[in-house]
Amino acid sequence: MVIVHYAGITNNNASGVCVVVPQIINSMSIFEDVALYNYANETVNIKAPAIQIDNQIYSDDYHLFPIPFSKPDIVIFHSPFGIPKMKNLISILINDNIPYVIVPHGCFSKAAMKKKRLKKWLAIKLFFNKALKHAAAIQYLCKNEMEDSIFKLSHIIVSNGIDIPNQIPKEYTTIKQLTFIGRKDLYHKGIDVLLEGCALIKDELAQSDIKIVLYGPGSNEQESEINKIITANNLTDIVKSRPGVFGIEKTDVLKKTDIFLLTSRYEGQPIAVLEAMAYSLPVLITPGTGFSEEVKAQNCGKVVGFSAQDIANGILFMINDKAFLKKASQNAYSYVSKEYCWENVTKRALAEYKGVCYEKDSRI
């Protein structure tokens, strides 16, 4: 099977899409012929036998790509709003009867569509309707993302994967740190409501000497707003806002964390939650993270309502029940190591792609 991925990928470690797409391509290349055509003028971490097709040498028309990628069996578009010239390329694919899959990575959600609303709706009206109409499938990362999409079309569900470390047992004799890792967006990530929840239980947190640490990149405006809320609620001794962490530094943070927090209003599929669970961390999340059903079913942590009081109650429950934490820790690692290791995720993705190609051929 010959697969060409189109995307605009940079070496931005703070971007989930930029991190995960090279990992997807590297993993798929173990089983199939896979290439990335990257619209961004950067060489990213693509490993042999996968290849990155240089956009400075080749146009985006796959007919000119090196063999076998000049005749792909399927084309995958990632985060389509960021792909220039997609309109022309879609017409070529339709003419050649080559199936293509669109992976929105959360950008088709109702909340995401409100950002740059006019620009996105103009793009949909001008050419996306055609692209969506002829797509073999929309690939969502989870059921929640599919249900929240503004488009109700033929779809497949294939999650992202993660690298699984050796298991790190958690004893939970004491609780010292609750951690958020992600982009510091007060509204999107629900940091505003998380801080309100912390304010409700600041005495209990202070008494137990528990810190809430927020790691992540954020604009000066966002950092200023976060610090204002921390100061206004007398949380300066409890809540700490830190820069983003990546690579070994992020691993070190996860190892010293006791509970992972993500209280987003909406998400596609949060890689940060999967990574935390891979380090045996129980998670406290809200339904908007898109992972609530699995956390509940597998008993990997606590799913709370999206309110300050619900978040406060959830934190208190977790820090006061060490037996629950220890069991949730074991469940988290066991579940993600089986369901979200790259090998298993990739096999499921390729099975879906082969199904898409078969359905396309059967209609000819």
Side-chain angles (χ1 to χ4, degrees), residues 180-189 191 213-219 221-223 226-227 240-244:
F180 162 92
I181 298 177
R183 182 167 49 86
K184 287 180 185 159
D185 184 316
L186 269 173
Y187 182 82
H188 178 185
K189 301 294 184 180
I191 297 173
V213 189
L214 313 176
Y215 293 95
S219 65
E221 180 182 1
Q222 291 287 321
E223 287 284 3
I226 289 170
N227 288 324
K240 307 296 180 182
S241 182
R242 300 286 187 250

Side-chain angles (χ1 to χ4, degrees), residues 11-299:
N11 288 299
N12 178 9
N13 288 327
S15 165
V17 175
C18 290
V19 170
V20 79
V21 170
Q23 292 176 330
I24 290 168
I25 291 167
N26 290 335
S27 185
M28 284 188 177
S29 70
I30 296 171
F31 305 97
E32 306 290 348
D33 294 316
V34 182
L36 166 67
Y37 184 83
N38 189 11
Y39 282 102
N41 294 321
E42 292 189 28
T43 300
V44 295
N45 188 26
I46 300 299
K47 300 176 182 177
I51 69 166
Q52 178 172 332
I53 296 172
D54 192 336
N55 70 0
Q56 301 296 301
I57 298 174
Y58 297 95
S59 76
D60 52 328
D61 183 352
Y62 52 85
H63 291 120
L64 305 175
F65 291 176
I67 295 172
F69 302 107
S70 55
K71 293 183 179 180
D73 294 306
I74 191 169
V75 167
I76 315 296
F77 292 105
H78 295 273
S79 297
F81 284 126
I83 298 179
K85 302 181 183 178
M86 186 174 170
K87 181 179 179 180
N88 295 335
L89 188 53
I90 291 294
S91 296
I92 296 171
L93 288 165
I94 293 170
N95 186 64
D96 287 352
N97 201 42
I98 292 176
Y100 61 90
V101 171
I102 296 173
V103 190
H105 292 280
C107 74
F108 288 167
S109 72
K110 296 179 182 70
M113 287 297 296
K114 291 179 181 177
K115 293 185 176 182
K116 301 180 181 178
R117 181 182 179 87
L118 180 59
K119 182 178 180 180
K120 288 180 179 178
W121 282 107
L122 282 174
I124 289 169
K125 185 175 181 180
L126 291 174
F127 72 89
F128 257 91
N129 281 333
K130 178 181 179 181
L132 292 165
K133 178 182 177 181
H134 291 277
I138 309 298
Q139 178 181 324
Y140 295 111
L141 302 175
C142 60
K143 181 182 176 183
N144 186 74
E145 184 192 5
M146 179 271 294
E147 292 177 342
D148 192 43
S149 173
I150 63 167
F151 300 112
K152 305 302 179 185
L153 302 165
S154 176
H155 67 271
I156 57 177
I157 296 178
V158 181
S159 67
N160 287 323
I162 52 169
D163 295 321
I164 307 296
N166 293 327
Q167 187 168 13
I168 302 165
K170 292 279 186 180
E171 294 301 326
Y172 289 105
T173 53
T174 58
I175 311 299
K176 290 299 180 184
Q177 181 168 315
L178 282 61
T179 299
F180 162 92
I181 298 177
R183 182 167 49 86
K184 287 180 185 159
D185 184 316
L186 269 173
Y187 182 82
H188 178 185
K189 301 294 184 180
I191 297 173
D192 52 347
V193 182
L194 171 61
L195 293 176
E196 289 175 23
C198 292
L200 295 176
I201 55 171
K202 60 187 174 186
D203 292 339
E204 292 90 338
L205 294 172
Q207 185 177 359
S208 299
D209 193 26
I210 292 174
K211 307 300 182 187
I212 311 288
V213 189
L214 313 176
Y215 293 95
S219 65
N220 291 336
E221 180 182 1
Q222 291 287 321
E223 287 284 3
S224 177
E225 287 299 315
I226 289 170
N227 288 324
K228 283 180 183 178
I229 297 172
I230 291 172
T231 302
N233 288 282
N234 297 316
L235 291 169
T236 52
D237 292 334
I238 297 167
V239 179
K240 307 296 180 182
S241 182
R242 300 286 187 250
V245 287
F246 309 98
I248 295 175
E249 190 177 4
K250 180 164 69 172
T251 297
D252 290 340
V253 167
L254 291 172
K255 286 180 178 179
K256 69 181 181 182
T257 294
D258 298 301
I259 300 169
F260 188 83
L261 307 171
L262 186 64
T263 54
S264 299
R265 285 176 167 85
Y266 61 93
E267 293 281 353
Q269 184 191 50
I271 291 296
V273 171
L274 295 178
E275 290 177 336
M277 290 169 66
Y279 278 89
S280 302
L281 293 181
V283 298
L284 184 146
I285 63 173
T286 51
T289 59
F291 210 63
S292 58
E293 290 185 9
E294 290 172 272
V295 168
K296 285 180 180 178
Q298 303 300 323
N299 194 25

